[in-house]
């Protein structure tokens, strides 16, 4: 059992468990799965600055911050305590393409160190991948009214056509970055 | 501590995201390059299980463990759905992380995730400040 837990989990184990989070949140407290809202609550709690969109009773949504804190702890337990292979077993084609197109050489870790190590903040890579990337995620998710959890999982599970539009847009953005902008950057 | 149950569920959710490598930039790149079924399998099966669960809850009029009615608000459309969605997609492919995985990455020991989260907060704050001026 412990051996299984240490291995990377296959999609058919992880996907259904992620899906079960939707009814679990509904059954324990009538909450809709959605993670990007936590970013808004933190802004409302820390720097509301008189902005109407940040002036609301964020304390009523504090469950969301507990959930997100849990995700952080889960990352620690899943990666550090249970342990995980140092290199993610991505397909050979992806490795080949990333070597050729993005000049990556170090394939260890959850994220490429050549792009996401803090030292990269001294060059353009850190500013594009860490700062601009994070900014676009925070700006875009709130503008879209949800992220992968709120729209793709929660929204599509509840047959919301708005969420289908959002998920298609997520992919349009992701494909544009991967296929059009990455080749310009590297 | 009525919020403790959300913390526990968050821990389980975070473990699943991490062990299935959803939190990995490599896996997201593989997805956007259509070179593996892994991410599609996870998102697809999660939706199927979520959909069946919601139908069961609705048809059986299940209540929460505290006996409250369960109601799910409808998502409302505005132009932000596709404009914001595309902006998020650009960021998703750059960072390889949606908001949940950023927190899991930080917990797993990736220092850069702290910068990602701060930048995401700055993005959400900026959206909030500009909201009235943006097309909706």
């Amino acid at each position: 059992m412990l051996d299984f837990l240490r291995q990377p989990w296959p999609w058919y184990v992880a996907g259904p468990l992620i899906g079960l989070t939707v009814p679990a949140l509904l059954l324990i407290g009538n909450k809709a799965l959605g993670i990007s809202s936590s970013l808004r609550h933190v802004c409302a709690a820390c720097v509301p600055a008189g902005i109407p969109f940040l002036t609301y009773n964020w304390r009523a949504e504090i469950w969301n911050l507990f959930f997100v804190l849990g995700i952080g702890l889960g990352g620690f337990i899943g990666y550090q305590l249970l342990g995980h292979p140092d290199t993610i077993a991505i397909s050979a084609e992806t490795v080949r393409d990333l070597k050729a197109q993005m000049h990556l050489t170090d394939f260890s870790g959850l994220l490429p160190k050549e792009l996401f190590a803090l030292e990269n903040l001294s060059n353009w890579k850190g500013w594009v991948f860490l700062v601009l990337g994070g900014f676009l995620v925070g700006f875009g998710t709130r503008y879209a009214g949800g992220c992968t959890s709120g729209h793709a999982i929660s929204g599509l599970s509840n047959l919301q056509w708005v969420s289908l539009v959002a998920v298609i847009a997520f992919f349009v953005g992701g494909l544009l970055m991967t296929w059009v902008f990455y080749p310009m950057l590297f | 501590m009525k919020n403790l149950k959300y913390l526990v569920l968050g821990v389980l959710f975070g473990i699943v995201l991490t062990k299935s490598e959803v939190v990995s930039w490599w896996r997201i790149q593989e997805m956007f390059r259509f070179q593996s079924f892994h991410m599609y399998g996870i998102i697809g099966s999660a939706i199927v299980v979520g959909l069946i669960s919601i139908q069961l809850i609705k048809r059986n009029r299940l209540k929460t463990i505290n006996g409250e009615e369960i109601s799910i608000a409808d998502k409302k459309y505005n132009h932000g759905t596709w404009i914001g969605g595309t902006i998020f997609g650009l960021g998703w492919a750059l960072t390889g992380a949606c908001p949940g995985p950023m927190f899991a990455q930080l917990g797993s020991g990736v220092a850069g995730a702290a910068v990602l989260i701060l930048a995401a907060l700055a993005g959400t704050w900026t959206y909030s400040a500009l909201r009235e001026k943006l097309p909706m």
Side-chain angles (χ1 to χ4, degrees), chain A residues 125-144:
Chain A
K125 284 181 188 167
W127 285 89
V128 168
F129 284 87
L130 288 166
V131 180
L132 177 65
F135 187 91
L136 294 175
V137 168
F139 190 98
T141 50
R142 199 71 277 114
Y143 196 3

Side-chain angles (χ1 to χ4, degrees), chain A:
Chain A
M1 184 67 187
L2 205 58
D3 271 352
F4 171 77
L5 290 177
R6 285 177 206 278
Q7 298 293 318
W9 297 359
W11 66 267
Y12 49 83
V13 172
L17 287 173
I18 291 171
L20 284 175
T21 312
V22 173
L25 279 171
L26 288 169
L27 291 169
I28 66 175
N30 193 23
K31 304 297 185 204
L33 173 66
I35 295 165
S36 60
S37 304
S38 64
L39 299 169
R40 182 186 176 197
H41 304 326
V42 173
C43 287
C46 301
V47 215
I51 297 167
F53 192 65
L54 296 178
T55 309
Y56 60 96
N57 182 19
W58 58 270
R59 283 184 183 82
E61 306 296 327
I62 205 155
W63 74 271
N64 197 255
L65 299 178
F66 276 85
F67 187 69
V68 159
L69 179 67
I71 293 177
L73 288 171
F76 176 74
I77 295 168
Y79 201 75
Q80 299 293 344
L81 292 189
L82 290 173
H84 201 82
D86 191 41
T87 303
I88 307 294
I90 51 171
S91 78
E93 290 86 2
T94 311
V95 172
R96 181 199 63 204
D97 291 354
L98 293 176
K99 278 182 180 165
Q101 295 164 15
M102 298 178 76
H103 318 301
L104 294 177
T105 53
D106 181 356
F107 284 74
S108 66
L110 286 173
L111 321 178
K113 299 182 183 75
E114 288 156 302
L115 303 174
F116 292 95
L118 289 178
E119 299 87 87
N120 285 311
L121 286 172
S122 64
N123 64 57
W124 67 272
K125 284 181 188 167
W127 285 89
V128 168
F129 284 87
L130 288 166
V131 180
L132 177 65
F135 187 91
L136 294 175
V137 168
F139 190 98
T141 50
R142 199 71 277 114
Y143 196 3
C147 59
T148 332
S149 59
H151 273 309
I153 311 290
S154 198
L156 290 184
S157 291
N158 196 29
L159 301 173
Q160 299 289 301
W161 69 270
V162 177
S163 294
L164 185 60
V165 174
V167 173
I168 292 170
F170 297 168
F171 270 84
V172 167
L175 294 174
L176 271 177
M177 180 55 70
T178 304
W179 294 90
V180 179
F181 295 124
Y182 272 179
M184 292 180 188
L185 284 172
F186 290 88

